[in-house]
Structure formats: C-alpha cells, structure tokens
Amino acid sequence: MTGGPVGIVANPASGKDIRRLVARASVFDNQEKAAIVARAFVGAIAAGATSFRYLPDRYGIVAQAIPDAGVDADVAPVDSPDTDSALDTIRAAAQFRDLGCAVVLTLGGDGTNRAVARGWRDAPLVAISTGTNNVFPRMIEGTVAGAAAGLVASGAIALAEVARPAKLVTVTVDGERDDLALVDAVLVDERFLGARAIWDASRLRVAVLTRAEPASVGVSAIGGLLRPLGERDPGGLALDFGSGGVLVDAPIAPGLYQTVPVRRVRPLAEGEPVVVEGPGVLALDGERERVLKQGQRAILSVVPDGPRVVDVRQTLHVAACRGLFRAAPEGRDGD
Amino acid sequence: MDVDRNVLLDLHRRMVRIRVFEEEAGKLMEAARVPGALHLYVGEEAVAAGVMANLTDDDQITSTHRGHGHLVAKGGDFKRMYAELFGRATGYNKGKGGSMHVCDMEIGMLGANGIVGAGPPIAIGAAFSDRYRGTSNVAVTFFGDGASNEGGVHEAANIAALWKLPGLFVCEYNGYGEFTPPARHQAIRDVADRAAGYGMPGVVVDGMDVIAVYEATREAVARARRGDGPTLLECKTYRFYDHVGIRGMGVSYRTDDEVLQWRKRDPVALLEAHLADAQILSSDDARAVHDEVRAEALAAVAFAESSPFPEPHELLEDVYDTSLPAPDEAPR
Amino acid sequence: MTTAEATTSRKLTYVAAIADGLRCALREDPLVFVAGEDIAGYGGVFGHTRGLLAEFGPTRVLDTPISEAGIIGLGVGAAATGCRPVIDIMFMDFMGECGDEILNQMAKMRYMFGGKARLPMTVTTMAGAGMNLAAQHSQSLEAWFCHIPGLKVVMPATPYDAKGLLLAAVRDDNPVVVVFNKRSLGMQGDVPEAAYAVELGRANIVRAGTNFTVVATGRMVHEALAAAMALAQDGLDLEVVDPRTLQPLDIETIVASVRKTHRALVVHEAVRFGGFGAEVAAQIQELAFDHLDAPVGRVGAPFAPVPFSPALEKLYVPNADRIAAEVRRVVGLQV
Ligand SMILES: Cc1ncc(C[n+]2csc(CCOP(=O)(O)OP(=O)(O)O)c2C)c(N)n1
Ligand SMILES: [Mg+2]
C-alpha cells in the first residue's frame, strides 16, 4: 500500500467575481471555505490520513482549520511566492508532486483546479467546488471529500481503482505550449482582461471544450445543449459562434440565460488542433487570461492526460464494501 | 463587456489627473506651503476613475478623508481644489473646510469627510432622494477597509438593501486603516463577504486595474438605475504613500518590499501598458497627457497661492442658512 | 495636592506624561487594560501610548477596529464585570460615534440599576483647535459630558496633571472622561517618577493674585497666565484658577477666589454659548453675587464650527490677547 501526504489548496479568491453582479451567483465567503477544510481534515483523518501539506494562502483559510486536524497530524505549509495569484497555486502543486503527495484536495472553481494542473499536469485530485459556475469540481460535502482523500492518502485504496484522468485543452501561443484549460478555452472579442469573467455571449468567437455538459453552466452548457459530450467520451468539441447556424438558449452564468448564435459545432479528435487568431482575448475555464494581438495565433487541442480525478462516491463505496470504516468490536469476548 | 476607446482615454485622463494633482499636493504639504494634513490617493487612482467614469454630474458620491481623488475623478476643478487646500477664499469651501471636507455640490460630490465611515449613511440618503424625486440618479459611497467596521456602514448597507435604494457601496480595500492592517481589524478578509448578510451582491475586483473597476461599476450602476438595488463592490488596492503625507517607505508598520511589490502594479502604468499594446495611446501621447495636466496643476497652484484668505466676517457666516443674527456675538 | 513629593521628578512632555500615567496604571492594577485605535502597534497617532505594547503585551494593550461605539461598549461591559478599562477615542470629535454608549450606558448604568453596577472605566481623548484640522478634528466638547449625570470630566493643563489626573481617573470607581489637548503635547514640565493621583474635584490656583479671578480650563490656563503677565503692567493682579476637574466642580475654591478679587472671567477653548463657562459664571453669581463688582465675563470660541483656513482659525481660538482684552472690559478699562 503506497500512500503519501494530502496536499491542500484553498483559493481565497474563488466565488467573489463580477458574476455575483451580472448574473445571480452567490458570494462564497472564506469562513465557509475554512469550515470545509476543517471538515475535510476530520474526514481525512478518520479515513487514515496522517500527513498534510498545504498552500499558505493570504487569508489563512487552511491555517484556521489546522486545529481541527488534531495534535497528532503532521500538517505543514509548502513554500509560497505569496503573490496572491494563481502563481501561488501553480508552485504549490509542483511541490506537492515533488513531496510525493498521494492526493491533492482543492477548494475553488475551475480556475483553481486549472492552476493545480499547470503545476502538476496529472495531479491526483479531490476537487470541492467553492467557485461560481464550476464544471470541473463537484459540489460535495467536505467531510466526505476529506474521507475519500484520506483513503487514497493512507494507501487503503489505490488511486488507480478510483480515479480517471481528465481531459484538458492545451494552449500553444507563438509556438510555446504554455497554458491549459480543464473545461473550455474560448476566444472572446475583447481587448482586455478587465473583470476577468465572461458574461456576454455576443462576444464569444470560438470555443474548444473538453466536455459539453447540458447540466452545467457556462460555455460548456452551450455545447452541451447542442451536442452533449461527457467527461469520459474521447475527444472534444469545437464551437464557432456567430450567425448562419442555430440559436441556443443557454445559461452562460449562474441564473443568466442568453440566446447564443452558434454557426458550427464540430467534434474534435484527440490532439486535433484548432487555430484561433487575434485580436481577442483567450478565456480559459471562464476567465479572461490572455490577450492575443492582431494576427497572433493560439493552437488549442484536447488531450486525455490531465489530472487524475478521484471519484469520491466510488471511493467511499469501495471503502464500504471492504469494511474499512468498521470499528473493531469493543470488549466483546466469545463473539 | 468591451470598453469603448473613448472611455479608455477618459479613464486614463482621470487617473493622470488624480496622480498629478496628488503628487503636487504632496509636495506642497512636505514644503509646508499648505496647512493641515493631506491624505493622498496615489496608488488608488483606478478605483475613483473606474467608478466615476460611469456617473453623470447628477449622480452623487460621498467620499472619505482621502477624498481628493474622488473629487478630481468626478470632475473637480484644480484651481478651486488647491485653493481650498491653501485655505483661501477662492477654494471650493471658501477655505473653511480644507482637504478633509472639500466638496462640489454642483457635480454631486457631497464632500470628503473627516469622520471615518460617515459617508455611507449620507449616501443612502442621497439615493433615497434620487428615487423620491423621481430621478434615475444613483449615489455611490466610498469607504475604506478600516471604515467597514464602523456601525453606521452596516446600518446604511442594511437600509439600502432593504429599500433597494439606487446606491453603490465601494470599499477601497487598501490594506491599512492608518497603521493597522485588516487582519487586526476584522476576522474576515474580504469585505464583500458581508454582502450576503446585507442582502445585496458582493463583488471583489482588482482595484489596480481600472478596466476591471470600470466594468464592474458599469454593471452595478446599471443594476441600481434599473431599480434592482445596491451592490457592494470591493476594490483591492494600495496606497503608495503614507496615511498622511508622502513618506510611506521606511516606516514601522509595513515593509518597503510590500510597497515595491504593489508599485509594480501601478494602476496608471498598467493602463498605459494596455493602451500602448492595444495601440490606443502611445507612450509619447500618454506622456503628453501627464505634461498637459501638470501644467494645469502648476497654474492652479499658483492661482491658489496668490488667492486671498477669507475675510474675518466669513468666520460667522454659513453657520445657518439665514440672515438672522447668530445666538452669540463676535469672538471675544 | 496629593503628590509624591518624596520621589524624584524629571522633565517630561505632556504626551510622555500621558504614557507614563498609563504605564503606572497598567503596572499597579492587573485589571487595567488599554484599548483604542492604533494605540498598540503604532503607539498612538499622538504618541501617547508609545512603549506600552512592548511592556505589557497585546492582551493588555489592544488595537481595536475603527468602531468607537463598539469599544466604548466594550469598556462598559468589561468595567461592569470586574475590569478597569481605559478606552482611547483618538479625537474628541469622534465621540459622536459612541454617543449612546457614553450617555445612555456608561453614564447611567449605575443609577438605573439602583447602584448595583460599578463602572471603573476611563475614556481618554484629545481635544483642541489651532492645528488647521478643520471642523471634525478640532472640537472641545467637554460641556456635553459635564451635562450628563454619572460622568466625571477632567482636563489636564500640564504634564504633571496629565499623569496625575489620568491616574486618579483610572483609580476612580466611576466613569471618567479625560480630555487632553493636542496642542499641549510637546509642552514640558516636571513629572514625578512614582505613581501619584491628582485628586478629582480639586481646583488648582496656578497663579495667586489679588484683584481679578480668571477661571481657565485645559490649554487656556497657559493663555490666561500669559494674559496675567501682560496685565500686571496695568496694575491688574490676576489669580488664575484651573478647575482641573470640570465635573464634579470645585466651586468653593473658585468662589473663595472671587470673594477676594470681586471680579471674574471664565475662559475655555470650546464654543462660548452653552459652554462650561456659563455654568461657572452662573454658580459664581449664585454664590458670590454680593462680592461681585462686575458681571462675570466669559471667553470662548465664537458660535461656529472650527474653520480650516489659518486666517479664520486664528480668529477662532481664544488666546492671551483676547483674555486680556476681556479682563480689561470687565474692569472697565479702555480696551
Ligand atoms: C470616526 C473616526 N474614527 C477614527 C478616525 C481616525 N482615522 C482617520 S483615517 C483612519 C483610517 C481609515 O482607514 P480606512 O477606512 O481603511 O481608509 P484609508 O485611510 O485606508 O483610506 C482613522 C482611524 C476618524 N477620522 N474618524
Ligand atoms: Mg484602508
């Protein structure tokens, strides 16, 4: 049985952007995140985890929860460049890999998990959603997510039994493969990163999706309502926006439907390149990330070897079948 | 979501005006050419500019002790502003208010304020009146991270949300209340987290990025004008200078490194870089804006400094809006 | 005077004497704590709490949020339950923020509760104009507090009194408001090293004289002394009385002086109308009418907020010249 520490990243910035204003998203406050981490600690320890490494965030989300890990747990921070940006998460993920973490527990949205994947491409992930319109992480109770992480970390259940690699979109700009998206990479007709989120469908130009889920919110939902593609189906989906095709009513942000003109929907084979050209802004997993100048090209393609995502339900199911949580009978002799 | 070219140039000019106004004001204070204490806005320009570019002269704002930037961004006149800092009769407040009370009621600037947290309750009154009088105006209140812990701020936010007043609460989160960081002021770190408790949307934006502030404000103001109620908009920013005056480096309560890190994200430089990249404004043209504004500032300083002081009779005037004699006679 | 004459004295500034007084209070009673805005880490914006954090630590010297209502309430609750708090309100003008806690809670709790509550708390604050800080950072509002039954009010004029009145306030089992003057901060004076109290309710004859009584409070004591020097040439021998404690007022000392001199003037920095001087003048007239050769004069600020412009502020704040002129007017000399 090979285990390792649980890595923890809790993004203090998730769940606070402009979509609370332009759509109907809720504020995800940091105290709630700290409470989730506390519950995850308890769950993980109940499941046998003993060692934890975490990204020290500026708001002390994890630090506040440490007392809940109890005095016996080995909990220590990794080094952080303390930029209060995604860079901190990217660096932490790389350290988790080097430290031999068995699993990484994330609290955040698509963007948080994307940053982990940038630091550790195939990180083993238990992803709890504390963001806005998240497709990648799940809404799941922290106690249970912690227990799943603990089962993997203690080595009681092998990662390969309960995790599958997620797809991702690789982003190559000027010949350099320098970014990725877990759900969607979208060219939008913008010049600036501004308030980061995207909430105006008329600005969408081209999207490349790893998954097109009709039961989600965001660009993935647009694809999903036209041509569903599951997280486990091979390949991806490309959408060209604009008139001359179909109109679809899709929730592009929480509580916000817009009618989106989609000119073309085409399936993508694994690795098939989609070339987009500036001017515009590349939005990755829902956030404007990178300005493309006039004529500047980006190549987007869907590949299968992203983070290994732990299926929390399945992990606990396996644990139940194996009786992993059965307490030793207490003083019952002659039974 | 896109921001028009003219708006971008307008944002730039507003920011440069604040920067230059404050740089010159700071020099005046250091040289003891103006009396009293100045709380400078340098570093936080993107907040005032990004918000104000969404307002008309009929929309009102309430400000703070750090109020020059708000008035400049709202369209304040350099001459009357500097004259006020000099305590001259030609100043916005006839020299009676000074830096901490500078106002221009004609363009909806309801005054800088010496009392921390005093703005939000007044702003909701303006918002109430905007609706009561049947206008489509909005009222915006600026308050600091420190101010966010004053009771009146919470009371105002509650009333505004309850009555869906056409208001906007802008928290200028600059990392300090005087010399104390928010970590020692409040158990939470994002003031916007409180929005849910008031019953209004809460949003955090990068307060060094004027486009982000502009976009968020545009949506919040539109929401307020539609009658959908107030918004709490928290802008993460930083004051480059000290609580009062210029210094701000080599001080006991924050590290120089911290200041240098934030200075790398100088909001004026950030916007200028964007504008150059987008071929909207070259660095030469940007420089020309600075030069032009500086010339205006220097002329305004000269005007202010050569203006007369208020006459002695001014002392007892403006206490009441009436010509009746005051209850007390001349000073003894 | 209940001085510690036996111990050594040294020259201290007014501001250092305040810090010295707080230090003595913290040393002599473990139930004393000091709380206020920027008073710990920074040592007070006026420097009056410098060094206290280092000596007594963060459980006894506390930076608070900018929440005046909250911190006065904190003092009331802590005092009622056994502590001896000192709460600092940076500028007297900010007392408006905590009006209820002072006038309805702190002042009245004991009486309303039938004498069952004890409120040994001290509120310290800075008053005074003359520094171009305009209408909200310059006021002298002591009359407000003198008007509220249940409160005691002191106004130290010298470094010696700053320390001694502060210590007396802290030792007193009633709520006491200590009003310092920000323009006196740099003033030097002899201050004993030992802890000592200047008895509350005891006036100080700072200059003995024979034919005119000036009752002056706070920084105006020094202006009155300067006026006395100037008037000596006119054959006027001023007796200057500093009540030190405004509530409860040592009217006996004042009346005794008036019986001797037959003329009186009351001077304060606060607005004349409805000021503390009105009370003193009324009591003198009640108690020594037959001894008066002229109506009691009053010098105070005109009925206007404190103006910012130096040109106006210099007309606003009472000074030695205005006091001398008013003395002359009372005695019927040409001004
Ligand atoms: C009611 C009140 N309390 C205290 C003060 C003293 N004071 C002036 S500015 C300030 C800090 C305010 O901090 P913040 O609201 O964050 O604004 P910033 O100075 O950072 O812009 C304090 C405590 C005041 N002016 N008014
Ligand atoms: Mg602040």
Side-chain angles (χ1 to χ4, degrees):
Chain A
M1 301 224 287
T2 54
V6 179
I8 306 178
V9 170
N11 179 2
S14 69
K16 297 178 193 277
D17 73 25
I18 192 171
R19 283 169 293 177
R20 268 121 288 270
L21 179 55
V22 296
R24 292 174 182 77
S26 331
V27 174
F28 213 114
D29 73 80
N30 288 329
Q31 286 52 57
E32 181 52 22
K33 293 176 198 166
I36 293 172
V37 175
R39 301 201 291 270
F41 268 129
V42 171
I45 285 167
T50 54
S51 170
F52 301 85
R53 297 294 173 264
Y54 69 95
L55 168 66
D57 67 276
R58 238 177 232 186
Y59 304 138
I61 293 173
V62 180
Q64 284 178 50
I66 289 176
D68 293 284
V71 285
D72 294 336
D74 159 29
V75 187
V78 295
D79 291 333
S80 170
D82 194 24
T83 58
D84 211 12
S85 72
L87 186 63
D88 298 356
T89 301
I90 297 172
R91 292 280 165 77
Q95 292 176 72
F96 292 154
R97 181 192 55 215
D98 298 344
L99 290 166
C101 284
V103 62
V104 178
L105 185 79
T106 62
L107 279 77
D110 292 339
T112 310
N113 290 288
R114 173 175 153 259
V116 170
R118 287 175 73 190
W120 182 359
R121 170 84 170 254
D122 60 347
L125 281 185
V126 170
I128 305 176
S129 170
T130 63
T132 311
N133 41 317
N134 303 312
V135 180
F136 187 84
R138 300 285 164 194
M139 299 294 255
I140 186 153
E141 162 56 29
T143 319
V144 177
L151 288 163
V152 173
S154 66
I157 294 180
L159 182 69
E161 288 184 72
V162 291
R164 282 165 174 264
K167 293 180 280 187
L168 47 78
V169 186
T170 58
V171 179
T172 307
V173 180
D174 295 338
E176 259 181 71
R177 186 165 168 181
D178 63 351
D179 215 329
L180 57 81
L182 293 173
V183 179
D184 52 46
V186 185
L187 181 72
V188 289
D189 185 13
E190 293 282 344
R191 282 177 295 182
F192 305 103
L193 306 186
R196 317 281 301 204
I198 43 182
W199 66 89
D200 179 358
S202 72
R203 303 248 152 217
L204 304 173
R205 290 295 167 265
V206 181
V208 170
L209 310 175
T210 61
R211 50 178 87 184
E213 295 188 357
S216 69
V217 165
V219 179
S220 176
I222 303 174
L225 292 169
L226 291 173
R227 181 165 182 159
L229 177 75
E231 57 183 300
R232 293 181 180 171
D233 297 336
L237 201 68
L239 304 177
D240 294 318
F241 297 95
S243 54
V246 295
L247 292 174
V248 58
D249 285 323
I252 71 151
L256 180 68
Y257 272 80
Q258 285 181 358
T259 304
V260 188
V262 180
R263 188 157 43 82
R264 192 156 69 115
V265 183
R266 52 191 165 115
L268 293 174
E270 188 182 313
E272 180 182 341
V274 174
V275 180
V276 297
E277 193 174 299
V281 169
L282 270 186
L284 304 175
D285 291 335
E287 288 196 357
R288 285 176 265 167
E289 280 291 339
R290 177 159 192 156
V291 177
L292 289 186
K293 292 186 183 159
Q294 177 82 43
Q296 197 177 18
R297 289 178 168 199
I299 303 171
L300 314 172
S301 47
V302 176
V303 299
D305 53 349
R308 290 161 288 165
V309 179
V310 173
D311 183 328
V312 171
R313 284 171 180 276
Q314 194 194 340
T315 310
L316 282 144
H317 191 78
V318 171
C321 293
R322 295 188 190 158
L324 294 179
F325 282 96
R326 282 198 205 170
E330 202 185 309
R332 276 197 285 154
D333 44 0
D335 202 9
Chain B
M1 296 181 284
D2 197 35
V3 182
D4 185 77
R5 181 173 187 280
N6 290 332
V7 170
L8 291 162
L9 292 174
D10 173 50
L11 289 170
H12 177 251
R13 180 166 285 268
R14 287 184 207 244
M15 287 172 76
V16 172
R17 287 182 73 78
I18 301 174
R19 174 65 54 94
V20 170
F21 182 92
E22 292 293 66
E23 297 283 7
E24 293 304 322
K27 285 185 215 158
L28 294 172
M29 182 183 160
E30 300 287 296
R33 280 165 71 192
V34 294
L38 307 185
H39 303 86
L40 302 175
Y41 199 71
V42 175
E44 309 185 24
E45 292 88 347
V47 182
V51 170
M52 248 59 94
N54 289 286
L55 305 182
T56 71
D57 283 357
D58 293 331
D59 296 318
Q60 303 91 352
I61 63 165
T62 67
S63 174
T64 67
H65 54 288
R66 200 174 301 291
H68 307 166
H70 302 141
L71 179 49
V72 170
K74 194 88 176 45
D77 166 36
F78 278 9
K79 281 188 181 160
R80 282 187 284 169
M81 285 186 72
Y82 281 122
E84 190 56 36
L85 304 195
F86 275 98
R88 304 304 164 110
T90 51
Y92 263 120
N93 315 27
K94 305 184 195 163
K96 295 182 181 184
S99 161
M100 269 193 288
H101 306 289
V102 68
C103 72
D104 186 344
M105 303 297 285
E106 263 137 55
I107 53 171
M109 198 296 194
L110 308 186
N113 208 312
I115 299 297
V116 166
I122 295 170
I124 65 163
F128 180 90
S129 142
D130 285 335
R131 191 170 66 189
Y132 190 84
R133 293 178 293 118
T135 74
S136 62
N137 303 336
V138 299
V140 179
T141 180
F142 294 87
F143 61 101
D145 42 354
S148 75
N149 301 309
E150 286 281 14
V153 175
H154 304 294
E155 296 179 22
N158 179 54
I159 294 172
L162 176 69
W163 289 347
K164 282 198 188 303
L165 295 177
L168 172 60
F169 290 74
V170 179
C171 179
E172 301 181 309
Y173 189 106
N174 64 3
Y176 292 90
E178 288 191 341
F179 314 103
T180 305
R184 292 199 285 120
H185 270 162
Q186 54 207 32
I188 59 160
R189 294 298 174 276
D190 293 319
V191 173
D193 280 1
R194 292 178 176 160
Y198 301 135
M200 63 173 86
V203 176
V204 179
V205 296
D206 178 356
M208 303 309 255
D209 181 347
V210 71
I211 301 172
V213 176
Y214 176 82
E215 284 187 351
T217 308
R218 187 172 59 187
E219 301 299 332
V221 165
R223 184 173 182 276
R225 290 202 208 282
R226 278 199 306 271
D228 290 344
T231 299
L232 172 48
L233 177 64
E234 177 174 5
C235 303
K236 300 288 191 188
T237 181
Y238 198 76
R239 69 169 152 73
F240 288 172
Y241 293 159
D242 225 333
H243 173 61
V244 169
I246 286 193
R247 218 163 73 113
M249 298 273 277
V251 294
S252 61
Y253 64 93
R254 68 184 193 187
T255 64
D256 288 356
D257 184 54
E258 178 183 299
V259 181
L260 294 172
Q261 287 306 321
W262 276 96
R263 275 180 169 274
K264 284 190 197 149
R265 308 199 55 243
D266 182 321
V268 179
L270 272 186
L271 179 65
E272 286 176 355
H274 285 324
L275 295 182
D277 274 355
Q279 297 185 342
I280 293 172
L281 186 74
S282 69
S283 61
D284 283 349
D285 290 345
R287 193 61 10 236
V289 175
H290 285 259
D291 292 345
E292 180 202 323
V293 173
R294 189 161 313 268
E296 182 189 342
L298 292 176
V301 168
F303 163 83
E305 204 165 13
S306 61
S307 288
F309 279 107
E311 297 288 331
H313 65 82
E314 283 288 347
L315 180 61
L316 294 175
E317 284 167 19
D318 300 322
V319 180
Y320 296 101
D321 191 350
T322 164
S323 52
L324 291 175
D328 201 357
E329 58 283 69
R332 282 188 176 154
Chain C
M1 269 188 264
T2 51
T3 62
E5 267 119 25
T7 66
T8 43
S9 253
R10 71 284 201 223
K11 285 251 184 272
L12 281 189
T13 56
Y14 188 92
V15 67
I18 300 172
D20 197 33
L22 290 170
R23 189 175 302 113
C24 291
L26 285 157
R27 278 190 190 151
E28 71 185 17
D29 186 346
L31 291 169
V32 171
F33 67 86
V34 184
E37 295 161 15
D38 280 301
I39 60 122
Y42 196 72
V45 296
F46 300 104
H48 62 300
T49 52
R50 202 151 289 160
L52 299 182
L53 177 65
E55 185 174 343
F56 301 99
T59 50
R60 300 192 65 201
V61 181
L62 299 99
D63 278 327
T64 68
I66 310 174
S67 307
E68 289 79 12
I71 64 176
I72 295 290
L74 174 112
V76 172
T81 52
C83 292
R84 196 170 281 277
V86 179
I87 309 292
D88 186 67
I89 299 293
M90 191 183 292
F91 283 77
M92 187 167 212
D93 314 67
F94 309 162
M95 293 282 195
E97 290 279 351
C98 44
D100 178 72
E101 284 68 21
I102 291 180
L103 78 96
N104 283 323
Q105 314 304 332
M106 180 170 94
K108 299 185 172 61
M109 189 185 254
R110 180 178 174 82
Y111 184 84
M112 293 186 302
F113 290 9
K116 300 227 169 66
R118 208 170 55 108
L119 284 160
M121 76 180 275
T122 304
V123 178
T124 55
T125 194
M126 290 284 166
M131 296 171 76
N132 311 120
L133 292 174
Q136 296 173 340
H137 284 75
S138 305
Q139 296 170 87
S140 296
L141 298 171
E142 61 276 6
W144 273 13
F145 301 105
C146 292
H147 186 67
I148 311 291
L151 301 182
K152 297 187 178 182
V153 181
V154 302
M155 285 186 88
T158 62
Y160 180 91
D161 284 351
K163 176 173 174 180
L165 285 172
L166 177 58
L167 269 169
V170 176
R171 289 176 188 173
D172 196 276
D173 284 343
N174 295 286
V176 184
V177 181
V178 182
V179 184
F180 298 114
N181 190 294
K182 57 179 98 68
R183 254 173 92 189
S184 301
L185 295 173
M187 167 189 191
Q188 299 260 350
D190 286 326
V191 179
E193 263 170 38
Y196 62 93
V198 168
E199 192 184 337
L200 300 185
R202 183 70 74 85
N204 186 17
I205 298 174
V206 287
R207 182 186 197 278
T210 54
N211 55 18
F212 198 103
T213 298
V214 175
V215 179
T217 59
R219 199 178 66 76
M220 289 300 121
V221 171
H222 309 292
E223 298 292 335
L225 288 172
M229 298 266 277
L231 291 168
Q233 290 142 16
D234 300 344
L236 281 166
D237 182 18
L238 265 55
E239 178 147 301
V240 179
V241 182
D242 173 7
R244 296 193 292 197
T245 306
L246 280 57
Q247 180 66 269
L249 178 64
D250 178 4
I251 192 68
E252 287 77 22
T253 300
I254 294 167
V255 165
S257 174
V258 175
R259 288 201 170 116
K260 179 172 76 178
T261 63
H262 310 298
R263 290 180 179 86
L265 175 72
V266 198
V267 184
H268 52 60
E269 212 189 299
V271 169
R272 215 173 84 108
F273 188 97
F276 169 76
E279 176 67 30
V280 177
Q283 290 204 31
I284 292 172
Q285 275 147 184
E286 283 165 3
L287 299 170
F289 187 74
D290 293 343
H291 297 268
L292 283 172
D293 287 347
V296 178
R298 287 184 293 147
V299 170
F303 200 70
V306 184
F308 165 71
S309 179
L312 298 181
E313 197 180 26
K314 72 171 193 270
L315 302 174
Y316 184 90
V317 184
N319 57 23
D321 288 347
R322 270 164 55 192
I323 295 168
E326 191 61 10
V327 169
R328 288 200 181 94
R329 196 191 62 77
V330 171
V331 298
L333 291 174
Q334 282 303 320
V335 181

